[in-house]
Amino acid sequence: HFLFNCLNTISSLLYKDTGRAERFIRQLAKAYNHTLESRNEPVIPLTKELEFVEAYRYLLSVRFQDQVDVEVKLSDDALASVVPPMTVQLLVENAVKHNVISHEEKLYISIHQQRKGLVISNNKTKKPDRTTSFRIGLENIQNRYQLLHKRGIKVIDEVDEFAIWLPIIQS
């Protein structure tokens, strides 16, 4: 779905705003380059993962016309940690997948620290009509953290907020 949505966005931008289309393509390339570079690594620096999230955030801002807000508030200690590749990006992507995003229903995503862990949280909007979740992504993240850290992740599913707590892994 992600690639299909990006190609549709590029197609519509090409006739309206070629400069923005070019930047969109460059950010998409940056996101895929990150995927290729890190796919065989057990962990990568969190700062590298956040660069990927920033490229992805730009793609979302174009696609959803700035109706998705991603805020990162982390200490230097947290920024010096490592994460399994694509963990944070996948959690941001899940927030987009499981919420309706519109001018009336903005999506707010926060990446912050809490009790020796990273928290990726989002407000809940209406659920999209046709979203099926097999929870494979969360299960994959849980398994990778158990192998790397012997501690699992925590899922916090409240009425108006969804959050994942990840233990901080020092490099």
Side-chain angles (χ1 to χ4, degrees), residues 99-166:
N99 289 281
V100 169
I101 301 168
S102 67
H103 290 287
E104 297 79 32
E105 302 229 49
K106 290 186 177 183
L107 183 63
Y108 299 97
I109 301 169
S110 173
I111 302 169
H112 59 279
Q113 257 173 276
Q114 190 178 70
R115 289 179 262 131
K116 297 185 181 183
L118 300 175
V119 177
I120 296 82
S121 64
N122 62 273
N123 64 308
K124 287 184 177 178
T125 68
K126 286 188 264 180
K127 286 191 178 275
D129 291 335
R130 291 191 199 139
T131 301
T132 304
S133 177
F134 300 106
R135 297 183 76 89
I136 293 170
L138 284 179
E139 187 177 317
N140 181 300
I141 292 170
Q142 175 76 282
N143 292 339
R144 290 193 289 166
Y145 268 87
Q146 295 240 281
L147 284 171
L148 291 167
H149 196 268
K150 308 289 187 257
R151 271 179 91 179
I153 66 173
K154 292 180 184 159
V155 177
I156 302 113
D157 192 357
E158 297 178 349
V159 174
D160 58 352
E161 182 182 53
F162 184 83
I164 301 293
W165 179 90
L166 308 169

